[in-house]
Every structure is written in structure tokens, then in C-alpha cells.
Amino acid sequence: MTESLMPPNHQILARSYYSSSIENFLAADEDKVLGSLGRNSEFEVLPTQRNAWLGQIQVLQECLRRLTGWIHFEFVIPRMGHRIDVVLIINQVIFAIEFKVGEGKFRSHDLEQVWDYGLDLKNFHETSHDATIAPVLVATEATDLPPLIHIHRADDLLLAPLCSNAQELRRTLDEVLRLADGQIVDPHVWEAGRYSPTPTILEAARALYHGHGVAAISRSDATASNLSVTSESIESIIHSCRENRRKAICFVTGVPGAGKTLVGLNVATRHRDQESELYSVFLSGNGPLVRILREALARDKVMQKRDLGHKATLKEARSEVKAFIQPVHHFRDSCLSDPTPPIEHVALFDEAQRAWNVQQTSSFMKRKRGITNFDRSEPEFLISCMDRHEDWAVVVCLVGGGQEINTGEAGISAWVAARNRSFPHWDVHISTKLRDSEYALEEDALTARAQGRLFERSELHLGVSLRSFRAENLSRFVKELLDLQPRQAAVTLSQFSSRYPIAITRDLSRAKAWLRNKARGSERFGIVVSSQAERLKPHAIDVRVKADPVHWFLNGRDDVRSSYYLEDVATEFDVQGLELDWACVVWDGDFRFSADGWSHWSFKGSKWQRILKEERKRYLLNAYRVLLTRARQGLVIVVPSGHTDDPTRAPAFYDPTYDYLKSLGLKNLDTASRGAQS
């Protein structure tokens, strides 16, 4: 972009390869526009790309005559790692245009892509929030055009994608402009607007792996700024340990969806050069998360290489990604077989509260590794592996409150206890929130204070949920719901229900229709249930049939194994650490509301049995906490009606739960449906 082409108030980092008033663009020589695009491109400009740009320039210089406004070519969408081919600002409308030069058909994938561009601007670009946004897919050679009789737009002024060929593009623009209302968009104010994305963990992992920093792909407002602050705090601890030859364990806390995994990935990607002394590894005991992240990065790597004209195979890409994200058990087993210090000086453990206690680790070692008398917990052994370094080492524990969901998970106290017992020479850096009740940390575990090695840092806590960019207080609402604080929960819900809908129904088919109606573009939706929900089989939900989480989370709408099909379901074990845009939680009789509080049940044989162990009760409650905090944009809860002829599905198992949830102010789809029918 040349200086003369920039609008006033332009950002230091240009958002597009070419930006100009439409008047100047129409007067410009096409070679000059093409040259600007080529000079500002981040990649080598292949002949196919040059020809595509030339085709776009020719089409637009023909169809934009006598229009005024502003034009951007290759407008960046950092959250998605893509660029919009063309953005037009004309009167009240922002047009996001995806060109397929030489293409004769409108493909569903391309329609999803241009809709996603519109959604990204609407949700994350500050000066696009209140404007009409029109996504347009232009297949230049298409002959079979859908009619422009009706332009559908949602309540947020985002139109459904429009289809056009080169000849009809002007008519498409004119029709949208004719029907648009609202304020005129100032192109200079618009471009200067703050872009504050909230990526999914998969989008974030892709962007970080390709070199973007956490600041570039996350919101920049004050409430979310501590993603960068937390990353920098961890970096300062790492550098201090290296310079002063010290060892430290660091605990990062955060509410569900606050970005703990994102922070860990950010630090790991900064130091993934194996030749660097700061070489780091991202470890997780969450098997589905590791598999999904690895596969997502590998698929993305293949696509990027092929887009640049290079040969690439999934096998090669998967091999490259393996070293970056590792299952914690592989790291542990490697240290078992090799007594030397690991290559990494920094290990980041995601969901560290899920590491195994002594009993679980000892049992596994005896059964699976043939090692008898193994008497250390997983935290203690993992710290011992890093302690093999003679000079310095850092262990970063990313900790979710109330997230323990499985037998043998030690919780955060096991890490502190291991340090106190066996590694008193290690410094301890903790979040100021680590003492809160949901982290279940035993107060007397923090004996490091007396030794002058305990340091509390407020920046090590992530207090704002970024998963749900529409409802930052969702995690608080879920906590109040589960803590049986209905008045507080109702007040909290009222504060965000207009931005983040939560509905309730007793009809699964109605919930599925709600999901399909809400989702736009490639927004992902799916059904999630408790792993103990064994009496949902009459609704075609069988938790004993395990879905492949990679297919469920990554595959498209045309794949029956994907979440979009609403056939396979995911449990808390599949979705922990991940997210959907829209979710349906089907609530079974395993977790029941009653006048005495929650009651906890497990289905054995042909009947429900009461869960009495406090540990298992906590796991079940946390399972529902995980399920209720997976959705970024909205949630529907299904509480079945049960059946009077089936003693395992008696209405009494479900009705009190339904009544309790409904009393919080959730939108009742059953009532709405009856009203529509009447």
C-alpha cells in the first residue's frame, strides 16, 4: 500500500494490501493496482494469484462506475488466518466479497467462507458492529444464479451470503444498497476501528503455530488484556530462572474459557526451536485435545503449503506437529526410559489439576509398564524429570478450577505437596486466586512462604472468559446454577441473555432445530452429554458408543461423523478444553435437582444407584460444569420428560431439574412453540 492510497487515521499495521477511495481506484491503471498488491503481499506472488487479482480488478473497475466509497483488497482476518478478497464500504453497507475467478459454480464451502468473513467483522470488528454487512460470493463464470427476490438478514444486520457472477455483480450491489437503512459508514473511521477477535482454541493454535502473537489474535480491550500480560509474566519467570540458574514451578489459574491453554501455546510457540536454550514443550493429559490440536495443525499446514504450490502430505505434517504438542504420558514414558535431562528446559502442563495421584500412577505403572513399587505421583515424577537439569528449569501448570472429572486426578495440591516434599529448592509462583475454593488447594500446602520462595502474582490469573465472547459472565452463571444460588443465577443470566441465549426444552428434536436455525457459516454446533447419561438411549443417544473426537470436531457438515449431523454425541472427556459455537446439553437422571440439593446417580445393570463417595460426586458436578461452559454463542438444554411406564426414566427423575432450570429465566422453547401454534 502506498502512502497516498492510505485513508487518514490508518493503523500502523496495514490491514489490507491495497486501500483507496473507489474514485481513485477507478482512475488508476490496473498495473499500478496490481503492483501495489504484489509489493504488499506476505508471500511470493504466483501466476495464479496474479491472474486472480487482475480478474478482480477488471470486474470491479467495470461494475463500480458512478459509485462512491472505499475499497480494500486482501483485507486481513487474523483470527481465521485468511484475507477477504475485497471489502467495499458504500453508504450504509460493508460488502465482504469472495471472488472465484473463472469458476462456474457456487460451492457450499465457499459460501461458508464468505459468511464467516461477515460474521468475523460483525462479531469482532468494533466499527462493524452496527453496520449492515453483505457477504457476496462471486463465481465470475456462473450461469445459474439464484434469484435476488428476498435479501434475508438477521437481527444483527448481517445478510445471508449473496451469489453473483461478474456481469450481475453491480445489480447485486445496487439491490442491497436500495434496501439498506441506518447510518452512513465513514470509511476512515471504519478502518481505524479496533479489531478484537476471540478465537477458538483451534483457530488460536493455527495462528500461533504460524507465527502470530497472542496479542494479534485476541481481544485488546482492558478486560481481556491480561492474556498478553500473563504470557509476559511467564516469560519473565523463564528468563529470570535462566539468568540466575534457578528452578521454578508456576501456577496459572483462570475461569473456564479464559485462555489458559492459549497462554501455554503462546509461550511454547515462541520457543519451539530445538536448538534454543529456551526450547519448550506443551504437554497435556487431555488425550482428545492433543489429538484434535495435532490434526488441526497438520491439516492446516498441508492446506497452506498446497495454496503456495508446494507438495505436502498429511503424514509429513503430522510428524512435524508431534514434537510441538505432546501427551503428558509420552513425555513421562520417555523420561522413564532415559535418565538424562529432557531436551526441554521449560514444560507447560495444560490442565495440570488432572495429573494422576500416587495410587493411580502406581496402578498404571504396575499394570501397563511392569514397574512395581512405583511410589510417586505424576506431579512428583514430572517435576523430578525437569529437576535433572543442573542449571535451570521451569514447570508451568495451567490450572482450571472445578475441572477434575475423572478418578485418580490429583488436583493442584499434589503439585505443591510434591514440591514441598522433594524439591524445596524450587521457587513457587502462584496466582493470587489459587487459594479460591474451586482450586481445592490445601492451605497448609503453601509452606514455601516460610522459606522465602513463594511469590504471588495477580497477573497469573485469567479472570475473563474469552470462550464466550457474547457472555463473559457465563462461567459465573453456571457456578451459581450448580451452587444452587437461583436468585444470583437469575440476576447474572439477565445481564447477558440478550447477547447469549440460553434456552430449555423437553423435546430433543426442537433443540436440534434451534441449533440449526442459530448457526451461520461454519459455526460449529453439537450435542454434549454426561458420560454417566446412560438412560438417553430412547432418544438415540448411547454414551457407550464412543465418537471419534477428531472427526466430531474437525470434519464438515457433509460428514456423518461430525458434530453437525447431531447423531454422535460428545461427553465431558471429549470436550474439555475445547468449544463449540452452539451447544445442546441433554440432561439425564444422573444429576438430579431435589429439595435437598443435587443428588448423584450412576446407572448399573438395570437400575440407578446412588453415588455416595464425595470424590465421585464432585466429578459428576464438574462434568456438568464442563458441559455447560462449552458454547461460545448460545446454549440449549434438553431435560427429557421421562416416561411413566419406564422405572429407569420416571418423570420424577427429571421434572424437578427442569423446573429448577426454568425458574432461572431460561427461554422456554416449549412455551414459545405452543404460542406459535395457537
Side-chain angles (χ1 to χ4, degrees):
M1 182 188 300
T2 61
E3 189 172 348
S4 62
L5 294 174
M6 287 185 182
N9 302 321
H10 68 273
Q11 295 170 301
I12 295 174
L13 294 176
R15 294 290 304 277
S16 53
Y17 289 173
Y18 174 93
S19 177
S20 169
S21 69
I22 290 177
E23 182 182 23
N24 287 342
F25 167 70
L26 293 174
D29 182 82
E30 64 184 35
D31 286 338
K32 181 180 179 181
V33 179
L34 195 61
S36 179
L37 288 167
R39 285 192 303 273
N40 290 300
S41 175
E42 300 172 13
F43 307 104
E44 176 189 356
V45 179
L46 301 173
T48 52
Q49 179 61 74
R50 183 185 183 279
N51 292 337
W53 281 338
L54 186 59
Q56 295 169 29
I57 294 167
Q58 292 170 346
V59 169
L60 290 166
Q61 286 191 332
E62 177 65 29
C63 83
L64 294 180
R65 291 177 182 176
R66 297 179 300 281
L67 289 175
T68 58
W70 208 269
I71 184 169
H72 297 270
F73 277 86
E74 300 293 335
F75 188 86
V76 69
I77 300 290
R79 181 183 73 95
M80 298 169 61
H82 294 292
R83 288 181 175 271
I84 306 175
D85 285 344
V86 174
V87 172
L88 297 175
I89 314 296
I90 305 175
N91 298 342
Q92 303 101 324
V93 183
I94 302 162
F95 293 93
I97 305 177
E98 176 71 11
F99 275 92
K100 298 300 176 184
V101 177
E103 180 61 64
K105 294 182 179 180
F106 301 103
R107 304 185 186 279
S108 59
H109 173 76
D110 298 328
L111 282 166
E112 273 190 6
Q113 183 179 11
V114 72
W115 204 339
D116 287 346
Y117 291 157
L119 286 163
D120 192 275
L121 291 174
K122 177 59 66 175
N123 292 329
F124 305 120
H125 188 231
E126 187 176 49
T127 46
S128 297
H129 290 337
D130 300 319
T132 296
I133 299 178
V136 183
L137 176 61
V138 180
T140 58
E141 304 302 319
T143 56
D144 186 15
L145 297 181
L148 263 179
I149 297 173
H150 173 67
I151 295 178
H152 172 75
R153 74 180 187 191
D155 294 338
D156 57 3
L157 301 181
L158 173 62
L159 276 60
L162 304 167
C163 297
S164 177
N165 60 19
Q167 291 73 32
E168 293 295 316
L169 180 56
R170 176 56 181 264
R171 185 173 73 90
T172 302
L173 301 180
D174 286 342
E175 185 69 7
V176 174
L177 293 168
R178 183 179 69 82
L179 296 173
D181 51 20
Q183 293 185 339
I184 300 293
V185 179
D186 184 317
H188 310 316
V189 173
W190 179 83
E191 187 181 14
R194 183 175 57 187
Y195 179 72
S196 301
T198 304
T200 67
I201 187 59
L202 298 180
E203 291 167 339
R206 292 184 186 108
L208 291 169
Y209 193 69
H210 290 295
H212 295 281
V214 70
I217 60 169
S218 62
R219 284 168 25 191
S220 55
D221 55 286
T223 57
S225 62
N226 62 340
L227 271 179
S228 296
V229 173
T230 302
S231 294
E232 292 304 324
S233 181
I234 296 170
E235 287 281 358
S236 71
I237 293 170
I238 292 171
H239 285 277
S240 176
C241 285
R242 184 185 65 168
E243 292 168 7
N244 298 297
R245 297 175 67 85
R246 295 176 76 93
K247 296 174 181 178
I249 184 167
C250 172
F251 296 97
V252 177
T253 57
V255 300
K260 299 179 292 295
T261 301
L262 182 56
V263 167
L265 288 170
N266 186 48
V267 174
T269 49
R270 287 189 189 183
H271 308 302
R272 71 171 191 259
D273 179 5
Q274 294 192 14
E275 302 303 316
S276 168
E277 190 181 1
L278 296 174
Y279 179 55
S280 306
V281 62
F282 181 87
L283 302 170
S284 177
N286 185 335
L289 177 65
V290 171
R291 288 181 58 207
I292 291 164
L293 284 175
R294 280 179 164 183
E295 183 66 14
L297 292 180
R299 292 185 186 184
D300 189 59
K301 196 175 188 69
V302 168
M303 287 180 61
Q304 289 217 351
K305 284 189 174 182
R306 289 177 180 173
D307 287 345
L308 295 173
H310 304 310
K311 291 183 178 180
T313 66
L314 262 178
K315 183 178 180 181
E316 293 171 346
R318 286 167 178 156
S319 179
E320 291 179 35
V321 169
K322 266 188 177 182
F324 170 53
I325 299 174
Q326 294 185 31
V328 66
H329 307 314
H330 289 186
F331 181 82
R332 179 201 63 204
D333 291 351
S334 175
C335 291
L336 276 172
S337 60
D338 183 354
T340 62
I343 186 175
E344 304 89 358
H345 275 75
V346 180
L348 300 110
F349 293 93
D350 194 30
E351 296 179 15
Q353 75 282 353
R354 297 187 62 188
W356 290 345
N357 58 26
V358 174
Q359 294 77 15
Q360 186 77 2
T361 309
S362 176
S363 173
F364 176 86
M365 291 298 186
K366 183 176 181 179
R367 290 181 292 105
K368 300 293 186 179
R369 299 292 181 264
I371 302 174
T372 57
N373 302 320
F374 193 93
D375 60 354
R376 285 184 285 182
S377 67
E378 199 166 45
E380 183 164 1
F381 180 69
L382 293 170
I383 297 174
S384 76
C385 298
M386 299 302 292
D387 193 54
R388 295 173 188 176
H389 288 287
E390 293 184 2
D391 46 4
W392 70 280
V394 176
V395 171
V396 179
C397 294
L398 307 168
V399 184
Q403 299 288 295
E404 299 90 347
I405 57 176
N406 206 0
T407 302
E409 293 179 357
I412 205 60
S413 290
W415 288 91
V416 180
R419 178 265 168 203
N420 292 343
R421 180 172 54 252
S422 304
F423 310 99
H425 56 290
W426 279 56
D427 296 336
V428 182
H429 298 265
I430 70 169
S431 149
T432 51
K433 296 291 186 179
L434 196 65
R435 304 174 191 275
D436 288 3
S437 60
E438 62 259 42
Y439 298 104
L441 178 67
E442 299 166 8
E443 177 58 33
D444 59 3
L446 296 174
T447 58
R449 180 183 295 281
Q451 303 164 19
R453 291 184 177 272
L454 178 67
F455 308 93
E456 295 195 40
R457 295 171 174 246
S458 60
E459 61 268 28
L460 293 180
H461 179 70
L462 297 164
V464 178
S465 176
L466 303 182
R467 171 175 298 129
S468 173
F469 59 89
R470 294 189 183 279
E472 293 171 350
N473 290 325
L474 174 65
S475 58
R476 187 175 77 185
F477 166 72
V478 171
K479 184 177 188 301
E480 291 165 347
L481 180 160
L482 294 174
D483 288 350
L484 298 176
Q485 299 173 333
R487 290 183 180 178
Q488 296 95 315
V491 172
T492 302
L493 176 64
S494 68
Q495 295 170 354
F496 65 79
S497 57
S498 62
R499 304 185 307 276
Y500 183 103
I502 304 182
I504 190 168
T505 180
R506 313 209 76 167
D507 186 337
L508 180 58
S509 62
R510 189 168 289 152
K512 289 181 178 181
W514 188 87
L515 288 178
R516 293 187 177 108
N517 182 59
K518 289 291 185 182
R520 295 179 289 182
S522 65
E523 290 177 345
R524 185 167 288 275
F525 53 85
I527 300 173
V528 294
V529 301
S530 158
S531 60
Q532 298 298 311
E534 299 240 1
R535 289 307 298 139
L536 297 177
K537 286 196 290 183
H539 303 280
I541 295 175
D542 189 347
V543 294
R544 295 176 300 179
V545 178
K546 304 300 182 185
D548 186 320
V550 171
H551 297 313
W552 200 83
F553 266 107
L554 297 182
N555 292 10
R557 293 175 184 270
D558 58 345
D559 193 318
V560 297
R561 300 168 296 179
S562 76
S563 65
Y564 291 118
Y565 250 75
L566 300 179
E567 291 185 2
D568 291 338
V569 301
T571 71
E572 69 271 21
F573 300 115
D574 301 315
V575 301
Q576 189 174 46
L578 292 154
E579 60 260 300
L580 299 159
D581 288 292
W582 303 89
C584 170
V585 177
V586 186
W587 203 299
D588 199 11
D590 56 331
F591 192 58
R592 307 173 194 170
F593 177 81
S594 70
D596 299 323
W598 295 113
S599 59
H600 311 71
W601 300 81
S602 176
F603 195 77
K604 300 293 184 183
S606 61
K607 62 182 180 179
W608 292 101
Q609 295 181 0
R610 195 77 176 253
I611 294 175
L612 299 177
K613 289 186 177 180
E614 291 302 317
E615 182 182 52
R616 290 188 61 203
K617 288 183 180 180
R618 186 172 74 252
Y619 292 155
L620 186 55
L621 180 140
N622 285 343
Y624 275 86
R625 188 194 314 276
V626 168
L627 299 177
L628 291 166
T629 55
R630 290 312 94 188
R632 286 161 54 85
Q633 301 202 53
L635 173 70
V636 59
I637 300 172
V638 179
V639 182
S641 299
H643 202 285
T644 54
D645 293 336
D646 184 348
T648 68
R649 295 190 298 123
F653 299 166
Y654 302 94
D655 290 347
T657 303
Y658 175 76
D659 292 337
Y660 168 66
L661 295 174
K662 189 175 62 171
S663 73
L664 304 180
L666 307 187
K667 180 180 180 180
N668 191 333
L669 298 185
D670 303 324
T671 302
S673 176
R674 286 195 295 271
Q677 291 173 358
S678 63

